[in-house]
Amino acid sequence: MKLLIANRGEIACRVARTAHRMGISTVGVYSEPDRNALHVDSVDVAVALGGSTPADSYLRGDAIIDAALRTGATAVHPGYGFLAENAGFARAVVDAGLTWIGPTPEQIELLGDKVAAKRAAVAAGVPTTEIVEVADGVAPPDVAVPALVKAAAGGGGRGMRVVRDPAELGAAIEAASREAASAFGDGTVFIEPFIERGRHVEVQVLGDVHGNVVHLGERECSIQRRNQKIVEEAPSPGIIDDVRRQLHDGALALARHVGYLGAGTVEFMVGEAAGAPAITFLEVNTRLQVEHPVTEAITGVDLVEMQIGIANGLELPFTQEQIEFDGHAIEVRVVAEDPAAGWLPSTGAIDAFRIAGDVRVDTGFRSGSDVSPDYDSLLAKVIAHHADRGVAALQIARAMRTARLAGGVVTNAATLAAIMEEPDFRAGRTFTSYLDDHPEVAAATGPAGDDRLAHLIGLVFEDEQRGRAADGLLGFVPSGWRNLRTRGQRRTWVCGDDTEFVEYTLTGETADVLVGPWPEPREDGSLAEDDRRRVRVRLLDRAPGRQVVEVDGTRHVVDVDVGPTGGRTTSSAGSLDWVRPERFVDHDAEAEGSGPVCPLPGTVIAVHVEAGQRVDDGQLLMVVEAMKMEHKITAHGDHVVAEVRFGVGERVDAGDLLVELAPPEG
């Protein structure tokens, strides 16, 4: 058997790992930006698809099938996303004489349409609520709020909008439909009730061609931003046994009703109504889920191996009664984004990539990888498994604090560590409103106090060491040497909103360090009293990228990645990002224009204004799609549109002025 993996990133690496363990040869595919990506090196041979965007590469089903036939592959595994839930692609794979690793095209078609899936769930007796169908993009009258507008096709939180004001329903339908059409090729949406403080709980099922169907327990995925999950765990920490049984039974009933084949996930929302538990069926994902490793951890079942076996006609190797559940597993998604900036995605190069600890790491990135605006911002999945849920959370927190993720990309690692240690999470109070209820976790910044000071000192001396190593003229003389008596060497670094001032004198491995703003001269020319903190530092060990410093008698190991404009420091206490202030700033006398700039590279997908139009504060100007998400560009203040600089379909870069605005007349 030879398996073509029709995907990229961590899921392609993960599928290849199981295939190789089973002795199966693998074929990968890649776009032009991915030609040296980790997933390409994780397969035996890889075929170029060309292009840079998903539409030009991983969504080209004909090119993928051609790659399979040319390389002698006999089966296709779609992973998740892209073409994984595309019934037409699955049918084309089968028609080409290849084995499709997944449900039948008919099942994908039925269950991939969330409206049809809801009807099937009702017919199977699955606990659920009714939905409101949307015809021709028109909002139906008298829709109760809060409501959820949802794409009928696809998944991953795309094509979803929460509506709390009936006046916003029409705009939500339009935006959700546009996003769904872009992501899945189908703009159909529907409306269902939105449970404010619910739990997103899903059940993993497996079905074979012999009629056997089992469940592998449930996962809770309630902690989400932008309707996309960032923390998942198994089992759910907050549902009673009766609800758990109803979820398991409902998932099995639906799977049997449709004769489900392969691995799938039945998703529910669990809340309360009139003081009693309320269960609503959401959808079926006819593919492997991103969060499948937590189920593997507590059951010991390799889901990819089960998928391959089922597709080749094998019977499930266990009955429901033989499945045992062991302990608790937690998965966090390490994502290239800035939680403190509204979860804005981040792009750029990754200079250093290391996630350590007693955890499983599934990733498609490594040192030297680039995070592209054309693909999902997921960098890695980190999974901990332990008999005790609290210990698993601590394992994740430590892995996130010590993760070395350096370069031009901002990540959510500090936020994930903060979630793992937050009291409500520790108590299992994890509702879908969790991040709204706990904004402090998004503002988590990393080490403080003396740990932060050690990071600053490690950064200063890493920079000093690199500077001396690069100085071919005076690198041999003592650090900071001068031919006259003067002050120590001065450095300034910025971390967040804080500017740090450091003055040091280095003698051998010992340094006298002063931390704080330089003393200002008085009117008579004398210096003000020096109230800076004096720190005694010993440089215990130094190597490129690592400074072992003793600060006032306490030893710290600080990993440092520093460049011309800034750096990142990492220790057991966490990570910090630093900016080197410019010494000479060029103040342009004439500004080119004012208005909103693009937050990151992407594509303009909607323009809502034209030149000469008057706009109010908060009015929507443009929508930019980047990293599979829509970003609304709005006006700040009242203005007149002087020029719209980009049109629909045009590419934009971070920092581009999108709409030039002028003050309103009068």
Side-chain angles (χ1 to χ4, degrees):
M1 180 179 182
K2 180 181 282 189
L3 178 66
L4 183 139
I5 305 168
N7 219 296
R8 68 181 296 277
E10 66 85 14
I11 189 59
C13 298
R14 186 264 171 277
V15 172
R17 188 165 60 247
T18 288
H20 293 166
R21 181 177 58 77
M22 296 174 68
I24 299 171
S25 298
T26 55
V27 179
V29 291
Y30 60 94
S31 64
E32 187 59 21
D34 282 342
R35 61 188 182 275
N36 291 315
L38 180 59
H39 82 269
V40 177
D41 287 337
S42 299
V43 294
D44 296 320
V45 64
V47 178
L49 296 173
S52 60
T53 67
D56 294 333
S57 54
Y58 300 104
L59 290 175
R60 293 179 59 206
D62 56 343
I64 290 171
I65 292 173
D66 180 66
L69 296 174
R70 284 195 291 119
T71 56
T74 56
V76 174
H77 193 302
Y80 56 71
F82 294 132
L83 297 170
E85 294 177 285
N86 187 308
F89 176 64
R91 192 170 286 113
V93 168
V94 174
D95 290 345
L98 303 168
T99 299
W100 169 254
I101 309 295
T104 67
E106 293 73 24
Q107 291 169 347
I108 295 174
E109 208 159 45
L110 169 67
L111 299 173
D113 181 334
K114 296 181 180 63
V115 175
K118 178 78 82 167
R119 297 192 188 108
V122 171
V126 179
T128 187
T129 56
E130 294 298 323
I131 64 172
V132 177
E133 297 186 35
V134 176
D136 300 323
V138 178
D142 303 323
V143 173
V145 294
L148 182 65
V149 179
K150 196 170 182 179
R158 296 178 181 90
M160 294 175 62
R161 296 293 186 276
V162 177
V163 178
R164 293 184 171 85
D165 182 347
E168 299 174 354
L169 183 59
I173 290 173
E174 180 185 353
S177 179
R178 181 178 59 242
E179 189 174 72
S182 173
F184 316 120
D186 183 351
T188 305
V189 297
F190 64 94
I191 304 169
E192 64 185 7
F194 179 72
I195 299 176
E196 290 281 7
R197 285 179 60 82
R199 294 179 184 270
H200 188 136
V201 185
E202 59 191 32
V203 180
Q204 178 72 60
V205 296
L206 291 172
D208 64 24
V209 295
H210 305 280
N212 301 306
V213 178
V214 299
H215 74 78
L216 297 179
E218 83 284 348
R219 302 182 287 256
E220 179 166 326
C221 316
S222 301
I223 300 181
Q224 306 176 6
R225 87 284 182 260
R226 297 188 173 190
N227 298 312
Q228 291 182 304
K229 309 158 187 173
I230 59 171
V231 179
E232 300 104 345
E233 54 184 313
S236 168
I239 60 175
I240 60 176
D241 287 343
D242 181 58
V243 170
R244 195 185 316 275
R245 183 172 58 254
Q246 290 184 61
L247 297 179
H248 295 171
D249 291 348
L252 288 175
L254 181 55
R256 291 192 181 105
H257 179 73
V258 300
Y260 194 79
L261 183 69
T265 302
V266 185
E267 301 199 358
F268 299 90
M269 187 65 69
V270 179
E272 285 192 358
I279 300 173
T280 296
F281 164 81
L282 295 179
E283 63 189 39
V284 178
N285 285 298
T286 55
R287 54 169 168 80
L288 206 60
Q289 290 281 88
V290 179
E291 57 271 20
H292 75 272
V294 293
T295 295
E296 294 182 327
I298 66 168
T299 62
V301 175
D302 185 322
L303 288 175
V304 173
E305 182 176 357
M306 293 300 103
Q307 287 183 296
I308 294 172
I310 291 168
N312 283 280
L314 299 182
E315 190 170 4
L316 288 173
F318 40 68
T319 64
Q320 188 68 65
E321 293 70 30
Q322 292 173 321
I323 298 170
E324 297 182 355
F325 300 99
D326 173 33
H328 201 98
I330 301 174
E331 172 183 296
V332 295
R333 302 190 192 187
V334 183
V335 178
E337 65 184 9
D338 186 352
W343 309 91
L344 186 70
S346 176
T347 62
I350 299 178
D351 298 330
F353 188 95
R354 185 198 69 201
I355 301 175
D358 191 14
V359 292
R360 167 179 165 179
V361 179
D362 284 12
T363 183
F365 289 86
R366 57 188 168 189
S367 298
S369 294
D370 288 318
V371 181
S372 166
D374 293 310
Y375 304 115
D376 193 271
S377 54
L378 177 67
L379 299 180
K381 304 182 316 195
V382 180
I383 305 98
H385 177 222
H386 197 273
D388 182 86
R389 178 177 181 267
V391 173
L394 290 176
Q395 290 173 324
I396 293 286
R398 179 172 176 78
M400 291 297 92
R401 284 196 307 269
T402 59
R404 188 175 183 182
L405 304 168
V409 175
V410 180
T411 78
N412 64 341
T415 290
L416 296 173
I419 291 172
M420 294 298 106
E421 296 173 329
E422 192 278 319
D424 275 344
F425 176 83
R426 301 282 290 179
R429 293 188 287 268
T430 51
F431 304 102
T432 52
S433 60
Y434 179 88
L435 291 176
D436 291 333
D437 297 338
H438 298 281
E440 73 278 5
V441 300
T445 56
D450 282 355
D451 287 320
R452 180 187 174 99
L453 175 61
H455 278 235
L456 173 62
I457 290 172
L459 175 66
V460 166
F461 286 111
E462 173 74 17
D463 195 39
E464 182 268 347
Q465 185 180 25
R466 290 193 180 206
R468 285 170 55 75
D471 189 345
L473 181 62
L474 297 174
F476 67 94
V477 302
S479 178
W481 178 87
R482 294 177 177 85
N483 60 2
L484 72 163
R485 185 176 181 83
T486 185
R487 62 174 183 256
Q489 300 180 70
R490 289 185 171 184
R491 297 291 183 267
T492 305
W493 288 91
V494 177
C495 184
D497 296 329
D498 299 322
T499 301
E500 304 287 357
F501 303 89
V502 177
E503 182 176 326
Y504 67 93
T505 303
L506 179 61
T507 306
E509 67 171 23
T510 303
D512 285 316
V513 178
L514 294 169
V515 180
W518 331 126
E520 295 292 334
R522 298 189 180 97
E523 290 184 2
D524 62 3
S526 63
L527 288 178
E529 183 177 348
D530 192 345
D531 58 358
R532 292 177 291 176
R533 177 178 175 181
R534 184 176 294 275
V535 185
R536 188 70 172 172
V537 176
R538 284 203 301 162
L539 306 180
L540 302 182
D541 192 17
R542 308 182 73 185
R546 172 165 288 195
Q547 300 289 316
V548 182
V549 295
E550 184 184 87
V551 180
D552 284 343
T554 300
R555 185 176 183 272
H556 301 263
V557 179
V558 184
D559 290 326
V560 186
D561 297 276
V562 64
T565 61
R568 181 169 295 167
T569 52
T570 305
S571 74
S572 59
S575 295
L576 291 170
D577 288 310
W578 303 85
V579 174
R580 190 196 306 270
E582 295 184 28
R583 297 183 65 185
F584 306 101
V585 180
D586 181 17
H587 298 283
D588 290 332
E590 296 181 357
E592 178 188 10
S594 62
V597 298
C598 190
L600 73 170
T603 302
V604 175
I605 61 172
V607 177
H608 292 269
V609 294
E610 59 185 18
Q613 180 179 342
R614 186 185 179 99
V615 295
D616 301 325
D617 183 41
Q619 184 171 337
L620 180 63
L621 307 176
M622 187 177 287
V623 181
V624 175
E625 183 180 59
M627 304 185 90
K628 295 189 176 182
M629 288 186 282
E630 291 189 2
H631 304 275
K632 295 181 178 180
I633 309 300
T634 58
H636 294 283
D638 299 336
H639 298 278
V640 172
V641 177
E643 181 185 1
V644 177
R645 297 203 164 190
F646 295 91
V648 173
E650 290 189 276
R651 299 280 294 178
V652 289
D653 290 325
D656 281 348
L657 180 64
L658 299 174
V659 180
E660 185 175 346
L661 301 175
E665 296 181 1

